């Protein structure tokens, strides 16, 4: 992998990740851009103890542009985009309309390929591995920023999810705090560790799932399963079998196998609802240990956390979506229409030949 860092016309950082070491990236952003102005503010909810990012400047962000005006495609001729070069393998750049900025963290966009009509599931294994290396590199770099406590790499896919740019891409949020969902996990890890005399909760969950009926697919270094208490109609958790706290902890064997397992998982997601159905909308979310202090979680250290990816769709059956209505939105109590055992069975049924 070759990494080349440059700046866009408004000062934002852009990084090329290339498969070939002999690629030269010297294209200049020719757009007449003013400096980016953001109004991000973090407000803490005194009742719930969580945080809300207020970012009014995002109202003006790009919204469903036509394909020939996509800002994530390469620049060609006089058609100028966020990527100055005429081609690329993988690109990461600071979001022009970030939810988090400055002392409130940082937001980046990850373009998985220059092919506007592709999808992550359609990438080759070398390309998918390059995306993994980009995620890992950005996790490392962002973790050193003084305002950052947790790095979150994710992909939103599909208009039903709320995606406003159809080009295959994901995002990275670098939060100035430990996110509420991670804090919940850490409290459970601490309680389990205390109650069992030191047993790791993530290890116990993985061991139980691998011995059960909800395994979707399993490799030498990775395992994917539908969790016992899945919140979403089709939800899969992907774990490395050797517990590590973040992407940086993956060894070479796990990195090599990841594209095979993850691409197969995404392709199965696209086949859940049968032939002729539109691509399955989903969210793919990497959960990594915070880089900040864990003193609020009694007895827990970073190595107690287990890196894993959670993949889920809001589609519950053909042509129907799972809406977060009163119980989910009002009380955070999910009601799942699809038994997790049936979801796992269906994902095994659609295995590629």
């Amino acid at each position: 992998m070759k990494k080349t860092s440059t700046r866009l016309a408004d000062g934002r950082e852009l990084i090329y990740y290339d498969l070939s070491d002999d690629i030269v990236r010297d294209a200049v952003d020719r757009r007449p851009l003013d400096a980016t102005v953001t109004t991000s503010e973090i407000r803490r909810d005194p009742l719930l103890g969580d945080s809300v990012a207020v970012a009014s400047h995002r109202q003006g962000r790009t919204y469903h542009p036509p394909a020939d005006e996509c800002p994530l495609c390469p620049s060609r001729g006089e058609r100028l985009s966020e990527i100055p070069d005429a081609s690329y393998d993988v690109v990461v750049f600071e979001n022009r309309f970030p939810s988090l900025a400055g002392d409130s963290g940082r937001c980046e966009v990850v373009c998985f390929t220059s092919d506007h009509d592709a999808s992550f599931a359609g990438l080759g294994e070398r390309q998918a591995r390059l995306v993994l290396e980009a995620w890992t590199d950005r996790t490392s770099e962002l973790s050193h920023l003084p305002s950052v406590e947790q790095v979150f790499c994710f992909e939103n896919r599909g208009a039903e999810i709320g995606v406003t740019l159809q080009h295959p891409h994901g995002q990275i949020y670098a939060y100035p705090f430990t996110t509420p969902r991670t804090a919940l996990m850490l409290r459970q890890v601490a309680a389990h560790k205390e109650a069992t005399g030191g047993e790791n909760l993530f290890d116990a969950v993985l061991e139980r799932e691998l011995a059960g009926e909800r395994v979707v697919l399993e490799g030498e270094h990775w395992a994917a399963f539908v969790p016992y208490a899945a919140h979403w109609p089709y939800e899969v958790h992907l774990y490395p079998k050797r517990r590590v706290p973040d992407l940086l902890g993956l060894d070479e064997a796990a990195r090599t196998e990841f594209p095979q397992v993850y691409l197969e998982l995404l392709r199965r997601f696209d086949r859940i609802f049968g032939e002729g159905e539109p691509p399955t909308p989903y969210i793919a979310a990497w959960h990594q240990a915070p880089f900040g202090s864990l003193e609020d979680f009694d007895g827990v250290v970073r190595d107690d956390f287990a890196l894993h990816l959670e993949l889920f769709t809001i589609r519950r059956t053909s042509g129907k979506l799972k809406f977060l209505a009163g119980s989910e939105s009002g009380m955070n109590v999910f009601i799942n229409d699809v038994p997790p055992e049936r979801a796992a069975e269906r994902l095994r049924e659609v295995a590629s030949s």
Side-chain angles (χ1 to χ4, degrees), residues 92-127:
V92 177
F93 61 88
E94 288 184 75
N95 198 321
R96 191 176 178 186
F97 303 97
S99 302
L100 310 166
D103 293 339
S104 298
R106 176 157 156 153
C107 292
E108 298 181 341
V109 177
V110 184
C111 298
F112 303 140
T113 170
S114 61
D115 184 352
H116 180 85
D117 298 316
S119 67
F120 202 120
L123 300 181
E125 289 184 12
R126 288 186 70 217
Q127 187 75 9

Side-chain angles (χ1 to χ4, degrees), residues 93-273:
F93 61 88
E94 288 184 75
N95 198 321
R96 191 176 178 186
F97 303 97
S99 302
L100 310 166
D103 293 339
S104 298
R106 176 157 156 153
C107 292
E108 298 181 341
V109 177
V110 184
C111 298
F112 303 140
T113 170
S114 61
D115 184 352
H116 180 85
D117 298 316
S119 67
F120 202 120
L123 300 181
E125 289 184 12
R126 288 186 70 217
Q127 187 75 9
R129 168 66 185 263
L130 185 61
V131 176
L132 175 64
E133 297 305 327
W135 283 331
T136 304
D137 180 71
R138 296 315 302 152
T139 296
S140 176
E141 293 291 329
L142 293 170
S143 71
H144 289 96
L145 296 180
S147 64
V148 172
E149 284 198 14
Q150 186 172 357
V151 179
F152 176 45
C153 307
F154 64 100
E155 179 190 3
N156 296 328
R157 193 259 196 130
E160 300 95 328
I161 295 293
V163 174
T164 57
L165 297 176
Q166 298 309 308
H167 194 106
H169 72 288
Q171 300 181 65
I172 301 175
Y173 277 23
Y175 298 101
F177 50 79
T178 296
T179 61
R181 188 173 177 85
T182 302
L184 284 173
M185 291 185 196
L186 290 169
R187 284 195 284 272
Q188 290 297 104
V189 169
H192 186 85
K193 191 174 185 178
E194 173 68 22
T196 60
E199 182 182 64
N200 183 272
L201 178 59
F202 287 106
D203 291 350
V205 167
L206 182 58
E207 181 180 2
R208 182 184 70 179
E209 293 292 359
L210 287 178
E213 59 181 317
R214 290 179 295 275
V215 176
V216 174
L217 57 89
E218 184 178 357
E220 183 179 354
H221 303 284
W222 293 85
F225 57 87
V226 177
Y228 170 74
H231 288 57
W232 299 93
Y234 291 92
E235 174 181 340
V236 176
H237 293 190
L238 177 62
Y239 276 68
K241 290 185 175 179
R242 182 179 68 87
R243 173 166 42 92
V244 295
D246 51 41
L247 288 165
L248 286 82
L250 294 174
D251 60 22
E252 181 59 27
R255 292 179 183 281
T256 298
E257 187 181 77
F258 170 77
Q260 305 162 26
V261 176
Y262 187 49
L263 291 173
E264 172 60 19
L265 191 57
L266 291 179
R267 290 162 187 165
R268 291 191 193 191
F269 252 62
D270 271 346
R271 292 193 291 269
I272 294 173
F273 303 105

Side-chain angles (χ1 to χ4, degrees), residues 81-95:
S81 73
E82 289 280 67
I83 296 91
D85 215 322
S87 66
Y88 64 85
D89 290 335
V90 173
V91 162
V92 177
F93 61 88
E94 288 184 75
N95 198 321

